Amino acid sequence: MNTNETSQTTFFTKEFTQNPYPVYEKLRETDPVFKVMFPHGEFGWIITRYEDAVEVLKDPRFSKDVAKRYGPENQSIFVNNMLFSDPPDHRRLRGLVQKAFTPKLVADMRSHIQEIADDLLNNIGSRDKMNLIDEYAFPLPIIVISEILGVPLEDQDKFRLWSNYIIDASNSDHAEMFEQHAREFTEYLTAWFAKVRENPGKDLISQLVIAEESGQQLTENELLGVVSLLIIAGHETTVNLIGNGVLALLEHPEQRDLLIQQPELIHNAIEEMLRYNGPVEFSTSRWALEDIEFRGQNIAKGELVIVALDSANRDDAKFKDADVFDITREKSSHLAFGTGIHLCLGAPLARLEGEIAIHTLLARFPEIQLQTDVTQLEWRPGMIVRGVKEIPVQLK
């Protein structure tokens, strides 16, 4: 493949966004560490094979710290968090947050998440159609993360708008709106932190504000960065896990029927949904801290490196019949939530939300079907999440 030709005609087009997997398959075979022009105008490397992906995600020579690459004066507040930091800052920031996502605390949320799923489906009433994303996949996780953080649920539509523009910032069509929405989001959070300082509660934002004031050195920018990450990542991954997962079942009705007949397969099914068409297509950015020879390619110091997680999860060298959607597949070590020190700390919560949402939906509407041809669905732009904007379904 020619780098420039593939960059301009294959990557990041509407056709690629709709189905990137044939492109990934070719790259894994012929050019697994591939130099490409990214939508924001920077050349960098895409890693497509599973084994290489794991190595890059764990290699400390690839930094997540934007300030090390561009200088602290050029970084957005949205990168002042554990996702975009290296040790020791990463350990400090993650430690402040992970206590809210322990296995026990997540397990204790099961009955409440079930109530939320039931209420959302009860709201459908006697209707026989719905937009799966707007009416179910989005509200369920945004309700949960809003309650964990202590932010007003009535502001969920604002969170969704701000999240979409921040996540899709790599899409040039959204770039000019990014600054406005980023400023609005920052102003909202700053005002909310002021309220919390006056009257802290038991929610996670209160804990973070108190931690900041008790000498744990969480700066105002770090507080903004951490909370914005939790709001965005706290619902985006699950929205697309539910959406992509249900879509895979609708495209493979024999798998849907099997899951209805054997609901105990739901744990396996969630893992397969994460592997088969995961909600996070690309890892966030890394930069080489030094000149690195990697799989025959010379990655220069400062160059951008991104892992194609969804490509790694379709690597036949790791997963037998990788392009086959099979909910009976044994639990796999997919990379949907990353790996290494930056493994998604909200993964257990996302899994639980996906499990409850999809199990409840199928139990209530076992005849659910896609209301349009799959080729007519519009996939979201941008370089991080992989998900459909709307999924119209027939319920009965």
Side-chain angles (χ1 to χ4, degrees), residues 50 86 216:
Y50 181 93
D86 299 332
Q216 292 195 38

Side-chain angles (χ1 to χ4, degrees), residues 249 259 265-274 325 327-328:
L249 291 173
L259 187 53
L265 287 173
I266 187 63
H267 306 292
N268 263 42
I270 293 297
E271 297 307 312
E272 180 65 348
M273 292 166 187
L274 288 164
F325 179 64
I327 66 169
T328 67

Side-chain angles (χ1 to χ4, degrees), residues 32-275:
V33 180
F34 184 73
K35 196 164 192 179
V36 67
M37 171 74 81
F38 289 103
H40 63 281
E42 181 178 5
F43 272 108
W45 300 88
I46 289 182
I47 311 298
T48 56
R49 287 180 182 168
Y50 181 93
E51 182 182 345
D52 298 344
V54 170
E55 186 165 337
V56 167
L57 292 173
K58 292 183 175 182
D59 192 333
R61 295 178 301 169
F62 296 105
S63 170
K64 299 275 286 176
D65 191 335
V66 178
K68 289 179 182 175
R69 176 63 179 87
Y70 298 110
E73 69 280 0
N74 293 316
Q75 67 181 44
S76 156
I77 65 103
F78 300 111
V79 299
N80 283 297
N81 54 55
M82 50 280 186
L83 183 60
F84 296 98
S85 60
D86 299 332
D89 282 341
H90 171 268
R91 191 177 304 109
R92 174 176 60 87
L93 295 170
R94 188 179 178 107
L96 288 168
V97 175
Q98 64 185 6
K99 57 192 172 187
F101 297 94
T102 64
K104 183 182 185 309
L105 286 177
V106 170
D108 288 346
M109 296 180 199
R110 176 178 286 275
S111 61
H112 183 51
I113 296 172
Q114 184 65 62
E115 289 175 4
I116 295 169
D118 289 335
D119 287 345
L120 289 170
L121 293 182
N122 287 341
N123 290 340
I124 304 300
S126 60
R127 289 190 290 129
D128 61 356
K129 296 175 183 176
M130 78 165 171
N131 176 353
L132 182 79
I133 301 297
D134 284 353
E135 297 183 73
Y136 193 56
F138 166 73
L140 187 149
I142 199 68
I143 290 170
V144 174
I145 197 63
S146 295
E147 291 179 351
I148 291 172
L149 292 172
V151 291
L153 184 56
E154 58 264 28
D155 293 330
Q156 62 177 285
D157 289 334
K158 293 179 184 177
F159 298 149
R160 186 180 191 183
L161 178 68
W162 293 330
S163 297
N164 284 348
Y165 275 98
I166 291 164
I167 279 187
D168 296 343
S170 60
N171 175 32
S172 58
D173 294 337
H174 284 195
E176 65 184 52
M177 297 294 291
F178 171 80
E179 291 297 332
Q180 175 192 332
H181 290 293
R183 184 174 62 253
E184 291 174 0
F185 197 10
T186 302
E187 290 171 353
Y188 174 94
L189 290 177
T190 301
W192 187 253
F193 298 157
K195 288 182 182 179
V196 169
R197 286 190 181 96
E198 291 287 324
N199 187 24
K202 295 182 178 180
D203 55 82
L204 182 54
I205 287 181
S206 294
Q207 293 177 32
L208 293 172
V209 166
I210 291 167
E212 176 201 10
E213 293 179 345
S214 64
Q216 292 195 38
Q217 318 220 323
L218 195 64
T219 67
E220 181 75 8
N221 278 347
E222 286 174 339
L223 190 57
L224 286 165
V226 168
V227 173
S228 61
L229 172 66
L230 291 170
I231 291 175
I232 296 170
H235 78 274
E236 283 283 4
T237 299
T238 309
V239 171
N240 297 302
L241 164 56
I242 297 169
N244 296 357
V246 171
L247 185 59
L249 291 173
L250 298 181
E251 289 188 275
H252 301 85
E254 77 289 349
Q255 296 293 300
R256 178 201 62 187
D257 294 345
L258 178 60
L259 187 53
I260 291 170
Q261 292 158 13
Q262 299 182 47
E264 68 275 10
L265 287 173
I266 187 63
H267 306 292
N268 263 42
I270 293 297
E271 297 307 312
E272 180 65 348
M273 292 166 187
L274 288 164
R275 185 202 68 81

